[in-house]
Amino acid sequence: KREIFLVAAFGILAGFSGIVIDYLDKFLVGKYLGLSEAGVYTIVFFIGGMILLPFRALNKISSTLIAECWKENDVTTINDIYKKSSLNQFLFGMFLFGLIALNLTNIFDFLPKEYIKGQWVLVIVAISNVFIMISGVSYAIISTARYYWYMTLLMILQIVLVIASNILLIPKLGMIGAACASLISVVFIRIGSIVIVGIESKIWPFTAKHIYLALITIIAFLACFFIPKISNLYLDALIRSTVFCILFSFSTLKFNISDELKDIHLKIKKLILKR
């Protein structure tokens, strides 16, 4: 009964924490800056949230698999899942971040003029989501491990940090303050979850390939950033995005950053050759 109660309490707190983190900054932006600013912030926030699409899909299936591994005390498989999830999510996160950053001007040229104030908000939110992606399935590992209660402590601290940082930063920096508060809380809890898993289970998600991937993204971004601006935003976005996709994809495959991506590439290549 005690274990059931503790697990249920953890689930309730996790749900409450998620609601606070997702909606508190938007509420406080509306309170301090007005509804129009809150509207701009919310739209921009959801554009940056596109980076998390692969993360949400993976986490829906990872918890069950990791729980089964804990049941069998198969830490080796958990370690393998952890490293692969971090690397592949970081790959997709950096790819989408690069596309958003390259097309930042085009995105806001497409939106109404009042949204221009949300440019740096989008960049900061996108960086926050890349941090979430690189942490892999650390949440799922802690939530299904014997030390799951550590997550409860982290979430309580995150709620306090979110409230305090938003109240302090929004009046001074406006929407950018809310985005910075979100970044601070994300970095805190994601680094915290990685450290907890590392200390308790002696497994870490990072490899040398994370560094190579970061360098590939920076080089591909810089190569596309200096492409001369075209007045037609759709054509400009198409050219920049296409060149970035080619450079990024070729480099990641050339240096074998992801075995899973390489397998997908080979399967697609075989299908094309058969036709």
Side-chain angles (χ1 to χ4, degrees):
K1 289 182 180 179
R2 179 175 177 274
E3 284 298 314
I4 291 172
F5 174 79
L6 289 174
V7 172
F10 167 76
I12 292 169
L13 182 63
F16 174 72
S17 174
I19 292 170
V20 170
I21 293 162
D22 286 342
Y23 295 103
L24 181 68
D25 54 347
K26 301 170 187 65
F27 170 77
L28 290 175
V29 168
K31 175 180 170 60
Y32 285 109
L33 306 176
L35 291 177
S36 62
E37 299 283 311
V40 171
Y41 179 81
T42 302
I43 295 297
V44 171
F45 193 92
F46 282 119
I47 294 173
M50 291 190 298
I51 290 176
L52 293 179
L53 292 176
F55 170 81
R56 289 166 180 159
L58 179 64
N59 274 310
K60 287 181 179 179
I61 61 173
S62 62
S63 294
T64 304
L65 181 59
I66 291 171
E68 188 64 28
C69 290
W70 278 128
K71 182 181 176 182
E72 304 296 330
N73 197 29
D74 188 0
V75 180
T76 302
T77 301
I78 293 174
N79 185 33
D80 186 51
I81 294 170
Y82 193 22
K83 282 183 166 60
K84 286 182 177 180
S85 68
S86 174
L87 181 61
N88 286 298
Q89 288 184 170
F90 186 47
L91 189 153
F92 282 105
M94 292 299 281
F95 174 70
L96 295 173
F97 176 79
L99 288 176
I100 289 174
L102 278 173
N103 292 289
L104 193 64
T105 303
N106 293 326
I107 291 170
F108 285 92
D109 284 345
F110 177 78
L111 294 170
K113 290 182 179 180
E114 56 267 23
Y115 283 85
I116 193 68
K117 63 186 77 172
Q119 271 193 326
W120 284 107
V121 173
L122 178 55
V123 173
I124 296 169
V125 169
I127 292 171
S128 300
N129 291 335
V130 170
F131 265 99
I132 293 174
M133 297 283 276
I134 200 173
S135 67
V137 293
S138 57
Y139 265 30
I141 293 173
I142 297 175
S143 300
T144 53
R146 68 184 185 281
Y147 49 85
Y148 66 88
W149 57 272
Y150 274 118
M151 205 67 204
T152 305
L153 178 61
L154 267 182
M155 286 180 171
I156 292 172
L157 292 174
Q158 187 184 24
I159 291 171
V160 174
L161 184 60
V162 166
I163 294 171
S165 57
N166 272 286
I167 291 174
L168 286 173
L169 294 177
I170 291 176
K172 294 181 179 180
L173 301 175
M175 286 189 294
I176 294 176
C180 289
S182 177
L183 175 61
I184 291 167
S185 67
V186 165
V187 171
F188 167 78
I189 197 166
R190 291 294 165 173
I191 290 178
S193 64
I194 291 169
V195 170
I196 288 170
V197 174
I199 292 173
E200 291 292 330
S201 299
K202 306 297 185 292
I203 55 177
W204 301 88
F206 305 119
T207 66
K209 289 184 177 181
H210 285 78
I211 299 173
Y212 301 151
L213 181 57
L215 292 174
I216 286 169
T217 307
I218 292 169
I219 293 169
F221 174 83
L222 290 175
C224 299
F225 181 78
F226 291 106
I227 294 175
K229 177 74 174 175
I230 300 173
S231 58
N232 186 306
L233 69 92
Y234 300 104
L235 184 59
D236 185 77
L238 178 63
I239 292 173
R240 290 178 190 277
S241 301
T242 302
V243 174
F244 179 79
C245 288
I246 292 171
L247 291 174
F248 186 89
S249 302
F250 175 79
S251 300
T252 51
L253 290 170
K254 179 70 175 177
F255 294 99
N256 194 25
I257 299 297
S258 169
D259 294 333
E260 289 72 25
L261 184 63
K262 187 176 181 180
D263 289 342
I264 293 171
H265 172 255
L266 290 174
K267 288 177 181 178
I268 295 172
K269 190 176 180 179
K270 285 180 182 178
L271 287 173
I272 294 171
L273 290 175
K274 282 181 180 179
R275 292 182 180 181

